[in-house]
Amino acid sequence: MPKSILKNVFGYDSFRPLQEEIIARVLNNHDSVVLMPTGGGKSLCYQIPAIYLDGCAIVVSPLISLMQDQVMALNELGINALCWNSTLDYTRVQHVTNQLRLGKLKLLYVSPERLTMDSFLDCIKEAKISFFAIDEAHCISEWGHEFRPSYRYLDLIRAHFESLPIMALTATATTRVVEDIQRQLDLTDATVFQASFNRPNLFYEVRRKKNTVQQLFKFLQQFSNQSGIIYCQSRKSVNNLTEKLVKQGFSAKAYHAGLSQIEREQNQTDFIYDRVSIIVATIAFGMGINKSNVRFVVHYDLPKTIENYYQETGRAGRDGLNSHCLLFFSYADKHKYEVFLNQIQNVKEREFAFKKLSMMLDFAAKPRCRRTQLLEYFEEDSSNISCGTCDICKNPPQTMDITVVSQKVLSCIYRVNERYGVSMIIDILKGNKTDRIKYLKLDNLSTFAIETELNKSQLHDVIAHLTFEKIILIDGDEYPVLKLTEAAWRILRDQDTISMPVFEVVKTPKQKPK
């Protein structure tokens, strides 16, 4: 029985919510779509019925590292599971096919590309297959955050194996993505199982990027010899940050696609078995990593989507113990991403990517409960959720009226005919007589040296907030300039006021003695 497999093979006394119902669904030969948060126990939903049923379950997985981790973990438990991917030589392929035909395999992990090969289809048609499980099923949807075209061809499962049940699983999917999964896989009679996206043991915090490395060092000192993941946007950032951490005495290693496969695997293994405390990684790291004691996840850079953020933070606290998710945020991160997004040729894809990035920016910038924002994004009712474990709920930010300084900023943008960027506007407002300002005679403007209370950094924050509120637009890629929107004119005409959250106490500079 499934419950005895749960206890005797995996060592758990009871199922988590929905697991038993999902398993019963596949045992009764029916399709299902499973939405379960990272760390919620998705894998057991297909591993237990695969062990219980006659034959072999085919598990479609997007990453070789993910397949290998799952197979290794199952083999250690005495379950005959294998993966068939591009790393296998002829001898190992023969071993897999023999195990499959002899009926000795319980789970076979394959990529979507492998599943669509005629030679592979011919092979599994000669074997006894129990059902199909499609992991990371959001990859099938063009509305998902990791759309992968090869997933689109998985509709052939229904065409070739009409009588076998299909289980599609994902940790991150909106209603629109779920509907697309069902349509693409022809799951007309599937039951959708949705676990709560709320992870009450995770503390969500967002900090502004200022002295970020020093902030990070101080944060990590709270987690002496405990496991954590730090995500960076680029390989260069990963290497630089890892070097700084090691010099500071932290136990840290890097993980990104630029390392050799041997080095990546070694660093990952060292992390899993607690031989190293911190992994600094690009988003290539973490899918399917079965490590329960990750105490913190840091995003050193802004993630591209809320789905990415949720999935990556979900690698913390799988053991149910309190864990910390820290995001360092800067509006500059947005502009870095926009350079790449503007290179997307398909107009619909590009617009969708920009929309996703804008939603991630909203999450980071808005002074609203982080947990509520996440649950609302995934269309889950948050009215009965008591948070108390995010930065906004624990320490509500002060707000500062910025109407007057905003009028100064907007007036300056207007008086330079919307021709310059952030740095020039700040230099004018602060009265910096640079060679360029003197050459262009901008020191003759009425807004020159008009701002005396806020420093340059605080003015940057004000302009960033005005941009976030769409009062200012940033136009142009190579030479971005500031433009006014209709909302800007309402502030200039005293028809609207504006305030912004202040996450750090702003100290007004003392007046110099006369």
Side-chain angles (χ1 to χ4, degrees), residues 64 68 83-89 92-93 114 261 265:
I64 289 175
Q68 291 171 334
C83 56
W84 188 344
N85 56 49
S86 57
T87 67
L88 269 59
D89 58 24
R92 291 163 74 193
V93 167
R114 176 70 53 185
Q261 185 177 338
E265 289 178 359

Side-chain angles (χ1 to χ4, degrees), residues 141-305:
S141 172
E142 64 180 322
W143 307 114
H145 64 292
E146 292 174 323
F147 174 55
R148 185 158 160 173
S150 55
Y151 264 72
R152 285 291 206 188
Y153 300 108
L154 296 181
D155 57 354
L156 60 75
I157 294 173
R158 182 63 80 219
H160 288 270
F161 302 91
E162 189 177 353
S163 62
L164 293 181
I166 298 172
M167 183 189 296
L169 307 102
T170 178
T172 49
T174 59
T175 301
R176 190 178 196 178
V177 172
V178 170
E179 290 171 353
D180 205 18
I181 290 169
Q182 290 176 283
R183 184 170 57 255
Q184 294 296 329
L185 291 173
D186 193 20
L187 304 180
T188 54
D189 194 33
T191 298
V192 178
F193 296 92
Q194 182 167 343
S196 173
F197 283 93
N198 186 26
R199 295 287 303 281
N201 63 314
L202 299 187
F203 186 96
Y204 298 105
E205 180 185 8
V206 179
R207 295 186 194 177
R208 296 300 176 97
K209 277 189 172 179
K210 289 181 180 177
N211 301 317
T212 314
V213 174
Q214 295 306 316
Q215 280 200 72
L216 179 63
F217 288 163
K218 192 172 180 181
F219 172 80
L220 294 177
Q221 285 166 6
Q222 305 170 60
F223 299 93
S224 179
N225 298 318
Q226 296 186 54
S227 294
I229 305 169
I230 302 172
Y231 286 106
C232 297
Q233 188 182 18
S234 68
R235 298 176 190 179
K236 184 179 179 181
S237 296
V238 168
N239 291 336
N240 289 343
L241 188 56
T242 305
E243 189 177 331
K244 288 174 183 175
L245 288 170
V246 171
K247 280 184 180 177
Q248 201 68 21
F250 292 102
S251 169
K253 286 192 176 179
Y255 186 102
H256 57 72
L259 302 175
S260 69
Q261 185 177 338
I262 293 172
E263 191 172 0
R264 280 201 311 274
E265 289 178 359
Q266 184 61 56
N267 291 355
Q268 179 174 304
T269 302
D270 286 347
F271 178 68
I272 289 171
Y273 291 102
D274 295 320
R275 292 191 288 267
V276 64
S277 299
I278 302 168
I279 279 285
V280 186
T282 57
I283 59 169
F285 179 81
M287 290 182 73
I289 297 301
N290 187 22
K291 185 172 174 63
S292 64
N293 64 336
V294 175
R295 290 280 70 85
F296 62 89
V297 169
V298 176
H299 282 89
Y300 199 75
D301 300 301
L302 186 76
K304 284 187 291 187
T305 69

Side-chain angles (χ1 to χ4, degrees), residues 59-76:
V59 183
V60 180
S61 180
L63 293 177
I64 289 175
S65 60
L66 177 59
M67 298 181 207
Q68 291 171 334
D69 293 337
Q70 296 260 4
V71 166
M72 184 170 67
L74 287 166
N75 291 164
E76 287 176 355

Side-chain angles (χ1 to χ4, degrees), residues 380-488:
E380 181 175 337
D381 181 17
S382 62
S383 58
N384 295 321
I385 297 295
S386 175
C387 180
T389 50
C390 78
D391 55 343
I392 300 298
C393 292
K394 190 173 181 182
N395 298 301
Q398 301 174 28
T399 57
M400 177 174 73
D401 188 303
I402 58 166
T403 305
V404 174
V405 69
S406 296
Q407 288 172 333
K408 294 175 184 177
V409 170
L410 300 174
S411 179
C412 189
I413 294 169
Y414 170 71
R415 291 180 191 285
V416 297
N417 298 313
E418 302 176 309
R419 293 174 58 191
Y420 299 107
V422 176
S423 296
M424 178 68 89
I425 297 300
I426 290 175
D427 279 338
I428 293 169
L429 290 168
K430 294 302 294 178
N432 295 330
K433 287 197 174 188
T434 64
D435 290 342
R436 190 155 183 248
I437 282 177
K438 286 189 286 186
Y439 173 75
L440 295 167
K441 299 182 179 179
L442 297 176
D443 51 340
N444 294 330
L445 291 173
S446 60
T447 51
F448 186 78
I450 199 174
E451 177 51 48
T452 57
E453 287 194 16
L454 300 185
N455 61 34
K456 290 182 73 171
S457 175
Q458 290 160 353
L459 272 174
H460 257 289
D461 285 347
V462 169
I463 293 173
H465 188 71
L466 291 172
T467 307
F468 168 68
E469 293 290 353
K470 298 181 174 58
I471 292 163
I472 294 172
L473 294 178
I474 295 178
D475 187 43
D477 294 329
E478 192 172 354
Y479 301 105
V481 297
L482 301 181
K483 304 272 189 180
L484 304 181
T485 68
E486 181 56 38

